[in-house]
Amino acid sequence: MSDILEGLNDRQFEAASHVNGPLLIIAGAGSGKTNVVTRRIAYLIKEKGVDPYNIMAITFTNKAAGEMRERVDRYVGMGSEGVWVATFHSSCVRILRRHIDQIGYDNHFTIYDTDDSKSVMKAVMKKLQIDPKQIKEATILREISNAKNELLGPDDYEEQHRMDFGKRQIVRAYLEYQDTLRKSNALDFDDLIRMTVYLFKACPEVLENYRDRFEYICVDEYQDTNTAQFELVKLLAGTRKNICVVGDDDQSIYKFRGANIMNILNFENVFKGAKVVKLEQNYRSTQNILNAANAVIAHNRGRKTKRLWTERESDIPVYFNHYDSSREEADSVALDIARLHAKGHAEYNDCAILYRTNAQSREFEESFVRENIPYYIVGGINFYARKEIKDILAYLKTVDNASDDLAVRRIINVPKRSIGATTVQKVSEYAEMRMISFFEACKRAKEIEGLGKTAAKLVTFAQMIEGYREDVKTLGISAMAIKLLDETGYVDEIKDADEDDAQERIENIEELMNRITAYEEQEPEGTLSGFLEEVALVSDVDNADQRIPRVYMMTVHSAKGLEFGRVYLCGMEEGVFPSNMSINSGHPEDIEEERRLAYVAITRAKDVLKISAARSRRSWGETQYNAVSRFIKEIPEEYLSGDLKRIARESFEYEERPAGRKSFNEEVPFGRGDDDGFFGNFVKARKEKKEAPKEIPVLTKGAELVAGSPDYVVGDRVEHVKYGCGTVTEMEKGPKDYKVTVMFDEAGQKIMYAAFAKLKKL
């Protein structure tokens, strides 16, 4: 056995030692996939004599790329820097920087982030007189993103929807949006991959150059690839097909971003003769946690069969607690963490709060502030999205690429130069008529009628930018940036404004200067374009330093790829997780994606997993009553401890919690003391994998009919065309109709009028 592969288990060794031909590694959560991939790269170099220059490894995040790079360096040493390790987007930027001029762009293109794209779309909609009340800007951008992920440019999209009147406005917006980007010599994130594929197809010699270089290709997180990424990888693999993809279909959770789970499920069909290796031994979680995860994901049909196992035995169960309200849920979690930390049983940075949507963070924030617990919200305001940072970056983008109209217009009057909206409009019209950039029009401002004295200010602005362009060549990025801040008076304007957050904004600018300096130290030959590229491709997860002592709060989507000693999975209710949108979509695959999301959430926990739900929570200003999530009900009771008896009462009113039960940590064992009666039978039925008893006791008004009421009474089982089956818990006679309260099995509590509800008695 090679020393490089020493210590791997049998399946890991099988995958790492595979050399030629397509390879699919199905890597379950916590199965050591990064270790396997890096060992395989080292094996190819050290044992098989493959030149590092001929190996490409693609990841999805900068953090993952950094970890892979460090491990490859550790195993290989000298020469390992030749391995191409980068994200999809970074890889495409590197390729486009060298060759995009062959398809009509300038190599100094700008990368537009999400906020930039929104700004462009707002301008596009205004120009085309598209009413945002009829179709939202976000809807158009989402449709454009989906089109680009499917490799449909604006002309292709127009052709595909030529007869679709409902898409007419989107077609117009897409054409104008892309034309605006083109004039600004800018690409959005989706363009980076789409244009690389276009480049390869339009310039076969460029593709052949990269095929010759990349003899061995490895793609991580393959389950998250979209059509454009799949086509890119397929093109690079060519006829050699020495491609290794690593992923887990059970962790495919980015359909809303265009991810296509069929890329991994159909890999063997696309790459004939592919070797398939399953990594099922988990090195992260305890067996109880894995049992819960396995039980939930087994209910999905569209997956490759696998079952995670570990040698990490533990007698700590997975806890489930059901609270009366979301407020109580948040308070209890905060108190639990505070108590554990005070006793030295847990560090703050070992704890994570996971939820389905960002909106759920508010109550936890309030509870943590009251308990004086430090926390960090992954997915909050990104550092690079703050106004002062966006302003400075717009200056740097203008220095780097004056064709970027969006950046130039952002800073034309920042700090204030008495250049108003009317002037900007006149300059824009002049630029459009002559098909030149906004910046070029500023240089010619004295030719524009009606500007008066403002023309001189525009010319001065343009000369200032051109001066900084020379400074960056002689002084470097950081020195030029400091000079820019000093001469423009940007920081002074913040000070003069004397606002409450002035000091914080100045500190943010200082941090940006630190970031520029660090870039120059790490990249002695680095350029302003290179720095802006790096900034554009940073994600919020990359900034989440888990070494800092604070509790982490995030959506499950943001938690992908992370792990924590103690995980609190909150808000596990029907309509929340899974979401109402998924429940009501009518597409079974939407629920399957939600179930994969639950699987990802469960497998983030290493030692302790505490799941909770709330009987009530506020949504859109109203109190909602939701049933416990189906995903909790899919976990066999022997793997759980806590308030499970409440699950049995989902179809009718709840009793109060047992006396003395105050905190999240006082777990109540499932089923003990309930050997007889309805709840005892429910437990036995679950153990025997049978349905619970059909008889539902009446816990409210009794079964008498109200005069003139429908044919059902309180306690009856009914069926609704949308919400399914449930139990009538209350009926109230109104002046014209009966108000009926029903606790539905899946949709939770709903209050409706009998005439409209059309409930059918079962």
Side-chain angles (χ1 to χ4, degrees), residues 660-723:
R661 178 72 187 282
K662 295 179 180 178
S663 82
F664 189 90
N665 292 279
E666 296 175 39
E667 269 67 49
V668 179
F670 182 89
R672 295 177 188 170
D674 276 300
D675 295 329
D676 300 313
F678 178 79
F679 299 120
N681 290 335
F682 186 96
V683 173
K684 293 173 185 176
R686 286 198 66 182
K687 287 182 177 179
E688 296 169 6
K689 297 185 178 179
K690 296 179 181 179
E691 292 186 1
K694 297 291 185 183
E695 299 79 28
I696 307 294
V698 177
L699 299 182
T700 53
K701 290 184 178 178
E704 72 275 14
L705 269 172
V706 180
S709 66
D711 64 348
Y712 46 81
V713 297
V714 171
D716 279 346
R717 295 284 287 171
V718 294
E719 184 178 16
H720 185 270
V721 66
K722 179 179 179 181
Y723 300 123

Coordinates of all heavy atoms in Angstrom, one line a residue, residues 660-723:
G660 N -43.4 21.6 36.5 CA -42.0 21.6 36.8 C -41.1 21.6 35.6 O -39.9 21.7 35.7
R661 N -41.7 21.4 34.4 CA -40.9 21.4 33.1 C -40.6 22.8 32.7 O -41.5 23.5 32.2 CB -41.7 20.6 32.0 CG -40.9 20.6 30.7 CD -39.7 19.7 30.8 NE -38.9 19.8 29.6 CZ -39.2 19.2 28.4 NH1 -40.3 18.5 28.3 NH2 -38.5 19.4 27.4
K662 N -39.4 23.3 32.9 CA -39.1 24.7 32.6 C -38.1 24.9 31.5 O -38.2 25.9 30.8 CB -38.6 25.4 33.9 CG -39.7 25.4 35.0 CD -39.1 26.1 36.2 CE -40.2 26.1 37.3 NZ -39.6 26.7 38.6
S663 N -37.1 24.1 31.4 CA -36.1 24.4 30.5 C -36.0 23.3 29.3 O -36.6 22.3 29.4 CB -34.7 24.4 31.2 OG -34.2 23.1 31.4
F664 N -35.2 23.7 28.4 CA -35.0 22.9 27.2 C -34.3 21.6 27.5 O -34.4 20.6 26.8 CB -34.1 23.7 26.2 CG -34.0 23.1 24.8 CD1 -34.9 23.5 23.8 CD2 -33.0 22.3 24.5 CE1 -34.8 23.0 22.5 CE2 -32.8 21.8 23.2 CZ -33.7 22.1 22.2
N665 N -33.6 21.6 28.6 CA -32.7 20.4 28.9 C -33.4 19.4 29.8 O -32.8 18.3 30.0 CB -31.4 20.9 29.6 CG -30.6 21.7 28.6 OD1 -29.9 21.1 27.8 ND2 -30.7 23.0 28.7
E666 N -34.6 19.6 30.3 CA -35.2 18.6 31.1 C -36.0 17.7 30.2 O -37.2 17.8 30.1 CB -36.1 19.3 32.2 CG -35.3 20.2 33.1 CD -36.3 20.9 34.1 OE1 -37.3 20.3 34.5 OE2 -36.0 22.1 34.4
E667 N -35.3 16.8 29.5 CA -35.9 15.9 28.6 C -36.9 14.9 29.2 O -36.6 14.4 30.3 CB -34.9 15.1 27.8 CG -34.4 15.8 26.5 CD -33.6 17.0 26.8 OE1 -32.7 17.0 27.6 OE2 -33.9 18.1 26.2
V668 N -38.0 14.7 28.6 CA -39.0 13.7 29.0 C -38.9 12.5 28.1 O -39.1 12.6 26.9 CB -40.4 14.3 28.9 CG1 -41.4 13.3 29.4 CG2 -40.5 15.5 29.8
P669 N -38.5 11.3 28.7 CA -38.4 10.1 27.8 C -39.7 9.8 27.1 O -40.8 9.9 27.7 CB -38.0 9.0 28.8 CG -37.4 9.8 30.0 CD -38.2 11.1 30.1
F670 N -39.6 9.3 25.9 CA -40.7 9.0 25.1 C -41.4 7.7 25.6 O -40.8 6.7 25.8 CB -40.3 8.8 23.6 CG -41.4 8.5 22.7 CD1 -42.1 9.5 22.1 CD2 -41.9 7.2 22.5 CE1 -43.2 9.3 21.2 CE2 -42.9 6.9 21.7 CZ -43.6 8.0 21.0
G671 N -42.8 7.9 25.8 CA -43.6 6.7 26.0 C -43.6 6.1 27.4 O -44.4 5.2 27.7
R672 N -42.7 6.6 28.3 CA -42.7 6.0 29.6 C -43.9 6.4 30.4 O -44.2 7.5 30.5 CB -41.4 6.4 30.3 CG -40.1 5.8 29.6 CD -38.9 6.3 30.3 NE -37.7 6.0 29.4 CZ -36.5 6.4 29.7 NH1 -36.3 7.3 30.6 NH2 -35.5 6.0 28.9
G673 N -44.5 5.4 31.1 CA -45.6 5.7 31.9 C -46.9 5.8 31.2 O -48.0 6.1 31.7
D674 N -46.9 5.5 29.9 CA -48.1 5.6 29.0 C -48.4 4.2 28.4 O -48.6 4.1 27.2 CB -47.9 6.6 27.9 CG -48.3 8.0 28.4 OD1 -49.4 8.2 28.8 OD2 -47.4 8.8 28.4
D675 N -48.4 3.2 29.2 CA -48.5 1.8 28.7 C -50.0 1.5 28.3 O -50.3 0.6 27.6 CB -48.1 0.8 29.8 CG -46.6 0.9 30.0 OD1 -45.9 1.3 29.1 OD2 -46.2 0.7 31.1
D676 N -50.9 2.3 28.8 CA -52.3 2.1 28.5 C -52.9 3.3 27.9 O -52.3 4.4 27.9 CB -53.1 1.7 29.8 CG -52.6 0.5 30.5 OD1 -52.3 -0.5 29.8 OD2 -52.3 0.5 31.7
G677 N -54.1 3.2 27.4 CA -54.8 4.3 26.8 C -54.4 4.7 25.4 O -53.6 4.0 24.8
F678 N -55.0 5.8 25.0 CA -54.7 6.2 23.6 C -53.3 6.4 23.2 O -52.7 5.9 22.3 CB -55.5 7.4 23.3 CG -55.3 7.9 21.9 CD1 -56.0 7.4 20.8 CD2 -54.4 9.0 21.6 CE1 -55.8 7.8 19.5 CE2 -54.2 9.4 20.3 CZ -54.9 8.8 19.3
F679 N -52.5 7.2 24.1 CA -51.1 7.5 23.8 C -50.3 6.2 23.9 O -49.3 6.1 23.1 CB -50.6 8.6 24.8 CG -51.4 9.8 24.7 CD1 -52.1 10.3 25.8 CD2 -51.5 10.5 23.5 CE1 -52.8 11.5 25.6 CE2 -52.2 11.7 23.3 CZ -52.9 12.2 24.4
G680 N -50.5 5.4 24.8 CA -49.8 4.1 24.9 C -50.0 3.3 23.6 O -49.0 2.7 23.1
N681 N -51.2 3.3 23.2 CA -51.5 2.5 21.9 C -50.8 3.1 20.7 O -50.3 2.5 19.8 CB -53.0 2.5 21.6 CG -53.7 1.6 22.7 OD1 -53.1 0.7 23.2 ND2 -55.0 1.9 22.9
F682 N -50.7 4.5 20.7 CA -50.0 5.2 19.6 C -48.6 4.8 19.6 O -48.0 4.5 18.5 CB -50.1 6.7 19.8 CG -49.6 7.5 18.7 CD1 -50.4 8.0 17.7 CD2 -48.3 7.8 18.6 CE1 -49.9 8.7 16.7 CE2 -47.7 8.5 17.6 CZ -48.6 9.0 16.6
V683 N -47.9 4.8 20.8 CA -46.5 4.3 20.9 C -46.3 2.9 20.4 O -45.4 2.6 19.6 CB -46.0 4.5 22.3 CG1 -44.6 3.9 22.5 CG2 -46.0 5.9 22.8
K684 N -47.2 2.0 20.8 CA -47.1 0.6 20.4 C -47.3 0.5 18.9 O -46.6 -0.3 18.3 CB -48.1 -0.2 21.2 CG -47.8 -0.3 22.7 CD -49.0 -1.0 23.4 CE -48.7 -1.0 24.9 NZ -49.9 -1.6 25.6
A685 N -48.2 1.3 18.4 CA -48.5 1.2 16.9 C -47.2 1.6 16.2 O -46.9 1.0 15.1 CB -49.7 2.1 16.6
R686 N -46.6 2.7 16.6 CA -45.4 3.1 15.9 C -44.3 2.1 16.0 O -43.6 1.8 15.1 CB -44.9 4.4 16.5 CG -45.7 5.6 16.1 CD -45.0 6.9 16.3 NE -43.8 7.0 15.4 CZ -43.0 8.0 15.5 NH1 -43.2 9.0 16.3 NH2 -42.0 8.1 14.6
K687 N -44.1 1.4 17.2 CA -43.1 0.4 17.3 C -43.4 -0.7 16.4 O -42.4 -1.4 15.9 CB -43.1 -0.1 18.8 CG -42.4 0.9 19.7 CD -42.4 0.4 21.2 CE -41.7 1.3 22.1 NZ -41.7 0.8 23.5
E688 N -44.6 -1.0 16.2 CA -45.0 -2.2 15.3 C -45.2 -1.7 13.9 O -45.5 -2.5 13.0 CB -46.3 -2.8 15.8 CG -46.1 -3.4 17.2 CD -47.5 -3.8 17.8 OE1 -48.5 -3.7 17.1 OE2 -47.5 -4.2 19.0
K689 N -44.8 -0.4 13.6 CA -45.0 0.1 12.3 C -46.4 0.0 11.7 O -46.6 -0.4 10.6 CB -43.9 -0.5 11.3 CG -42.5 -0.2 11.8 CD -41.5 -0.7 10.8 CE -40.1 -0.3 11.2 NZ -39.1 -0.8 10.3
K690 N -47.3 0.2 12.6 CA -48.7 0.2 12.2 C -49.3 1.6 12.3 O -48.6 2.5 12.9 CB -49.5 -0.7 13.1 CG -49.1 -2.2 12.9 CD -50.0 -3.1 13.9 CE -49.6 -4.5 13.8 NZ -50.4 -5.4 14.7
E691 N -50.5 1.8 11.8 CA -51.1 3.1 11.9 C -51.6 3.3 13.3 O -51.9 2.4 14.0 CB -52.3 3.3 10.9 CG -51.9 3.3 9.5 CD -53.0 3.6 8.6 OE1 -54.2 3.8 9.1 OE2 -52.8 3.7 7.4
A692 N -51.6 4.6 13.8 CA -52.1 4.9 15.1 C -53.6 4.7 15.1 O -54.3 4.6 14.1 CB -51.9 6.4 15.4
P693 N -54.2 4.4 16.3 CA -55.7 4.2 16.4 C -56.5 5.3 15.7 O -56.1 6.4 15.7 CB -55.9 4.2 17.9 CG -54.6 3.9 18.5 CD -53.6 4.4 17.6
K694 N -57.6 4.9 15.1 CA -58.4 5.8 14.3 C -59.2 6.7 15.3 O -59.6 7.8 14.9 CB -59.3 5.1 13.3 CG -58.5 4.3 12.3 CD -57.9 5.3 11.3 CE -57.2 4.5 10.2 NZ -56.5 5.4 9.2
E695 N -59.6 6.2 16.5 CA -60.5 6.9 17.3 C -59.8 8.1 17.9 O -58.8 8.0 18.5 CB -61.0 6.0 18.5 CG -61.7 4.8 18.1 CD -60.8 3.7 17.6 OE1 -59.6 3.7 18.1 OE2 -61.1 2.9 16.8
I696 N -60.4 9.3 17.6 CA -59.8 10.6 18.2 C -60.7 11.1 19.3 O -61.9 11.4 19.0 CB -59.7 11.6 17.1 CG1 -58.9 11.0 15.8 CG2 -59.1 12.9 17.6 CD1 -57.5 10.8 16.1
P697 N -60.3 11.2 20.5 CA -61.2 11.7 21.5 C -61.5 13.1 21.4 O -60.8 13.9 20.8 CB -60.3 11.5 22.8 CG -58.9 11.5 22.3 CD -58.9 10.9 20.9
V698 N -62.8 13.5 21.8 CA -63.2 14.8 21.7 C -62.8 15.6 22.9 O -63.1 15.2 24.0 CB -64.8 14.9 21.6 CG1 -65.3 16.3 21.5 CG2 -65.2 14.1 20.3
L699 N -62.0 16.6 22.7 CA -61.4 17.3 23.9 C -62.0 18.7 24.0 O -61.5 19.5 24.9 CB -59.9 17.4 23.7 CG -59.1 16.1 23.6 CD1 -57.6 16.3 23.5 CD2 -59.4 15.2 24.8
T700 N -62.9 19.1 23.2 CA -63.4 20.5 23.3 C -64.9 20.5 23.7 O -65.2 20.2 24.8 CB -63.2 21.3 22.0 OG1 -63.8 20.5 20.9 CG2 -61.7 21.4 21.7
K701 N -65.8 21.0 22.8 CA -67.1 21.3 23.3 C -68.0 20.0 23.4 O -69.2 20.2 23.9 CB -67.8 22.2 22.2 CG -67.2 23.6 22.2 CD -68.0 24.4 21.2 CE -67.5 25.9 21.2 NZ -68.2 26.7 20.2
G702 N -67.6 18.9 22.9 CA -68.6 17.8 22.9 C -69.1 17.6 21.6 O -68.8 18.4 20.6
A703 N -70.0 16.6 21.4 CA -70.4 16.3 20.0 C -71.8 16.7 19.6 O -72.3 16.3 18.6 CB -70.3 14.7 19.9
E704 N -72.4 17.7 20.4 CA -73.8 18.0 20.1 C -73.8 18.9 18.9 O -72.9 19.7 18.6 CB -74.4 18.8 21.3 CG -73.9 20.2 21.5 CD -72.7 20.2 22.4 OE1 -72.1 19.1 22.6 OE2 -72.3 21.3 22.9
L705 N -74.8 18.8 18.0 CA -74.9 19.6 16.8 C -75.5 21.0 17.1 O -76.4 21.1 17.9 CB -75.9 18.9 15.8 CG -75.3 18.0 14.8 CD1 -76.4 17.2 14.0 CD2 -74.4 18.7 13.8
V706 N -74.9 22.0 16.5 CA -75.5 23.3 16.6 C -76.6 23.4 15.6 O -76.5 22.9 14.5 CB -74.4 24.4 16.4 CG1 -75.0 25.8 16.5 CG2 -73.2 24.2 17.3
A707 N -77.7 24.0 16.0 CA -78.9 24.0 15.1 C -78.5 24.6 13.7 O -77.9 25.7 13.7 CB -80.0 24.8 15.7
G708 N -78.8 23.9 12.7 CA -78.6 24.4 11.3 C -77.2 24.3 10.9 O -76.8 24.8 9.8
S709 N -76.3 23.6 11.6 CA -74.9 23.5 11.3 C -74.7 22.4 10.2 O -75.6 21.7 9.8 CB -74.1 23.1 12.6 OG -74.5 21.8 12.9
P710 N -73.5 22.4 9.7 CA -73.1 21.4 8.7 C -73.3 20.0 9.3 O -73.6 19.8 10.5 CB -71.7 21.7 8.4 CG -71.5 23.1 8.7 CD -72.4 23.3 9.9
D711 N -73.0 18.9 8.5 CA -73.2 17.6 8.9 C -72.1 17.0 9.8 O -72.1 15.8 10.1 CB -73.5 16.6 7.7 CG -72.3 16.6 6.8 OD1 -71.3 17.4 7.0 OD2 -72.3 15.7 5.9
Y712 N -71.1 17.9 10.1 CA -70.0 17.4 11.0 C -70.1 18.2 12.3 O -70.7 19.2 12.4 CB -68.7 17.6 10.3 CG -68.5 18.9 9.7 CD1 -68.1 20.0 10.4 CD2 -68.6 19.0 8.3 CE1 -67.9 21.2 9.8 CE2 -68.4 20.3 7.7 CZ -68.1 21.4 8.5 OH -67.9 22.6 7.9
V713 N -69.5 17.6 13.3 CA -69.5 18.2 14.7 C -68.1 18.2 15.2 O -67.1 17.7 14.6 CB -70.4 17.4 15.7 CG1 -71.8 17.4 15.2 CG2 -69.8 16.0 15.8
V714 N -67.9 18.9 16.3 CA -66.6 19.0 16.9 C -66.1 17.6 17.3 O -66.9 16.8 17.8 CB -66.6 19.8 18.2 CG1 -65.3 19.7 19.0 CG2 -66.9 21.3 17.9
G715 N -64.9 17.2 16.9 CA -64.4 15.9 17.1 C -64.4 15.0 15.8 O -63.7 14.0 15.8
D716 N -65.2 15.4 14.9 CA -65.3 14.6 13.6 C -64.1 14.8 12.8 O -63.4 15.9 12.8 CB -66.5 15.1 12.8 CG -67.8 14.4 13.3 OD1 -67.7 13.5 14.1 OD2 -68.9 14.9 12.9
R717 N -63.8 13.8 12.0 CA -62.7 13.9 11.0 C -63.3 14.4 9.7 O -64.4 13.9 9.3 CB -62.1 12.5 10.8 CG -61.3 11.9 12.0 CD -60.0 12.6 12.2 NE -59.0 12.2 11.2 CZ -57.8 12.7 11.0 NH1 -57.5 13.8 11.8 NH2 -57.0 12.3 10.1
V718 N -62.6 15.3 9.1 CA -63.1 15.9 7.8 C -62.0 16.0 6.8 O -60.8 15.9 7.2 CB -63.7 17.3 8.1 CG1 -64.9 17.3 8.9 CG2 -62.6 18.2 8.7
E719 N -62.3 16.3 5.6 CA -61.3 16.4 4.5 C -61.6 17.7 3.7 O -62.7 18.0 3.4 CB -61.4 15.2 3.5 CG -60.3 15.2 2.5 CD -60.4 14.0 1.5 OE1 -61.4 13.3 1.5 OE2 -59.4 13.8 0.8
H720 N -60.5 18.4 3.5 CA -60.5 19.6 2.7 C -59.8 19.4 1.4 O -58.7 18.7 1.3 CB -59.8 20.8 3.5 CG -59.9 22.1 2.8 ND1 -59.0 22.6 2.0 CD2 -60.9 23.1 3.0 CE1 -59.3 23.8 1.6 NE2 -60.4 24.1 2.2
V721 N -60.3 20.0 0.3 CA -59.7 19.8 -1.0 C -58.2 20.2 -1.1 O -57.4 19.6 -1.8 CB -60.5 20.5 -2.1 CG1 -60.4 22.0 -1.9 CG2 -60.1 20.1 -3.5
K722 N -57.8 21.2 -0.3 CA -56.4 21.7 -0.3 C -55.6 21.2 0.8 O -54.4 20.8 0.7 CB -56.4 23.2 -0.4 CG -55.0 23.8 -0.4 CD -55.1 25.3 -0.4 CE -53.7 26.0 -0.4 NZ -53.7 27.5 -0.4
Y723 N -56.1 21.2 2.0 CA -55.4 20.9 3.2 C -55.4 19.5 3.7 O -54.7 19.1 4.6 CB -55.9 21.8 4.4 CG -55.7 23.3 4.1 CD1 -56.9 24.1 4.2 CD2 -54.5 23.8 3.8 CE1 -56.7 25.5 4.0 CE2 -54.4 25.2 3.5 CZ -55.5 26.0 3.6 OH -55.4 27.3 3.4

